[in-house]
Amino acid sequence: MRTISWDADRECVEMVDQTALPADFRTYHAETVPELIESIEILRVRGAPALGAAGAYGVALSAHQRTAENSGSLLEAIEDDASKIAAARPTAVNLERGVTAALEAARDGESNAVVRGLALESAETLADRDVERNKAIGEYGAELLGQDDTVMTHCNAGALATVDWGTALGVVYSAREAGKSIDVIANETRPLNQGSRITTTELMERDVPTRLIPDNASGLVMQEGEVDALVVGADRIILDAAEQFGEQGVVFNKIGTYKHAVLANRHDIPFIVAAPRSTIDASSSPEEVQIEERDPSELHEIYGTQNAPKEVPVRNPAFDATPMELVDYLVTERGVFEPPLDVSPFE
Ligand code: MRU
């Protein structure tokens, strides 16, 4: 089943409701643009590639929902929704890209019906391509793993973070399909626990031998020699040099990725980033990337139970920045690249 898709009967966006995992596997139908935006904000749908699809389907949803006298005024209304959808989460470049792709396609429509059709067609194409690219990433990345490797991963860059198959976990799935006995150590990934709630769920579903560790145990586990490779996804990759992050560029990914890259480096464990080329942002500088700060309640409470004094000030960044110097391999749908990277093929 796809993580996110178009429900043609109800003319709305259907998604796996990831807030309910692992207790309940259920789907949610976003029938309006505000419902879609809320779904992005509360992480019903999440993960950079899945957000790209959510953005494109969101534009299609807007096109189907809005009524207008002609295609010009319909497009104006869609543009208004599109900018709100793109702003729902700031860090993953894919959301904005998905919105833009569907909007650009819709602009060619000369009637309301054609505008709607083009927006939807663009979203469906983006979703299909996501699956194809993840399979290619998986196959290239699998070549980096040994026969009995243990992979550590952070957050969830699996099928549920994409339309299907996944990027980091796609590498694991492809390696196993190729006959390798890969097992996985999943970091819990505080504070929203995508590792324990989502990664372990999808790995167990696919019979991948899996162990869950609290984030704080990852250093010990590496020190004990249990990890052969660290494989993570990415929300935005910038290949521009920056004073703050080093000459070779930077990978924005789930908070905690940076410290795992440092640890992997310290223990000579290959640090692998698996991401589609659509995650590479050639037009922004690292300083322009907004790292999402999430609500303090995610730390003040754990599943509704108080976890800290209500008044304690909180910092809750959802992503961090890993200098490319710490990345051993970048796996895209075009192959495996070893930093330092030549920027031109990615522009
Ligand atoms: O806040 P989330 O759950 O959307 O964060 C997801 C991640 O950081 C993933 O690692 C990233 O989007 C890559 S998903 C293939």
Side-chain angles (χ1 to χ4, degrees):
M1 182 193 174
R2 289 191 169 194
T3 299
I4 183 162
S5 58
W6 181 254
D7 183 328
D9 294 331
R10 290 169 63 169
E11 294 195 331
C12 69
V13 184
E14 183 177 10
M15 64 190 77
V16 176
D17 180 355
Q18 299 188 42
T19 59
L21 291 171
D24 194 7
F25 188 91
R26 63 178 184 226
T27 58
Y28 174 82
H29 288 81
E31 294 184 326
T32 63
V33 169
E35 283 176 3
L36 182 98
I37 291 173
E38 181 208 48
S39 299
I40 294 171
E41 286 170 349
I42 68 168
L43 275 57
R44 244 184 226 122
V45 59
R46 46 148 296 283
L51 287 175
Y57 280 126
V59 171
L61 180 64
S62 166
H64 282 75
Q65 288 263 306
R66 293 283 200 158
T67 49
E69 277 183 9
N70 54 48
S71 61
S73 42
L74 178 60
L75 277 164
E76 274 175 32
I78 300 171
E79 275 161 14
D80 192 42
D81 285 338
S83 57
K84 291 182 188 137
I85 297 167
R89 291 190 78 191
T91 310
V93 69
N94 311 59
L95 175 60
E96 187 190 317
R97 290 219 163 131
V99 167
T100 306
L103 192 56
E104 293 284 308
R107 284 200 180 109
D108 287 340
E110 284 173 3
S111 71
N112 289 2
V114 177
V115 166
R116 291 182 179 120
L118 289 171
L120 182 55
E121 186 184 64
S122 166
E124 297 281 36
T125 304
L126 185 147
D128 292 344
R129 283 207 187 124
D130 181 61
V131 184
E132 285 163 25
R133 287 172 180 158
N134 296 336
K135 294 261 176 161
I137 290 169
E139 279 167 30
Y140 283 120
E143 289 167 23
L144 296 171
L145 301 182
Q147 181 60 32
D148 298 305
D149 275 2
T150 297
V151 167
M152 177 181 278
T153 192
H154 191 65
C155 192
N156 173 263
L160 287 161
T162 62
V163 177
D164 203 355
W165 200 248
T167 55
L169 295 189
V171 170
V172 171
Y173 301 145
S174 296
R176 286 179 59 85
E177 271 196 354
K180 294 183 179 176
S181 305
I182 309 298
D183 65 295
V184 176
I185 295 176
N187 296 332
E188 185 182 24
T189 318
R190 286 281 299 141
L192 293 183
N193 298 337
Q194 289 92 329
S196 60
R197 293 189 304 104
I198 302 170
T199 294
T200 60
T201 301
E202 71 165 86
L203 288 168
M204 304 277 288
E205 180 81 12
R206 288 167 177 76
D207 295 325
V208 179
T210 303
R211 281 170 292 164
L212 170 67
I213 59 165
D215 298 321
N216 292 341
S218 48
L220 176 84
V221 170
M222 287 189 224
Q223 206 169 41
E224 288 178 345
E226 287 209 42
V227 181
D228 298 299
L230 247 128
V231 190
V232 297
D235 286 86
R236 192 185 293 246
I237 296 172
I238 293 188
L239 300 176
D240 255 4
E243 210 175 303
Q244 197 185 350
F245 304 117
E247 282 301 304
Q248 297 178 20
V250 60
V251 176
F252 291 88
N253 193 50
K254 177 52 53 193
I255 190 76
T257 301
Y258 170 46
K259 72 178 183 189
H260 282 91
V262 173
L263 277 166
N265 213 257
R266 157 93 185 165
H267 294 286
D268 277 332
I269 299 167
F271 187 82
I272 303 170
V273 175
R277 283 158 49 92
S278 55
T279 306
I280 296 169
D281 178 2
S283 55
S284 311
S285 69
E287 294 79 8
E288 287 170 317
V289 179
Q290 188 189 336
I291 292 186
E292 178 184 1
E293 282 279 340
R294 294 193 58 85
D295 201 90
S297 63
E298 292 176 359
L299 288 170
H300 282 143
E301 293 169 17
I302 298 182
Y303 304 127
T305 301
Q306 194 179 339
N307 180 50
K310 290 191 179 84
E311 317 70 39
V312 70
V314 159
R315 257 214 80 187
N316 188 15
F319 300 94
D320 63 21
T322 301
M324 193 60 88
E325 282 154 19
L326 295 172
V327 176
D328 294 294
Y329 302 102
L330 171 65
V331 187
T332 78
E333 67 275 26
R334 295 272 177 91
V336 176
F337 299 85
E338 286 184 56
L341 298 162
D342 176 10
V343 182
S344 47
F346 298 103
E347 281 174 334

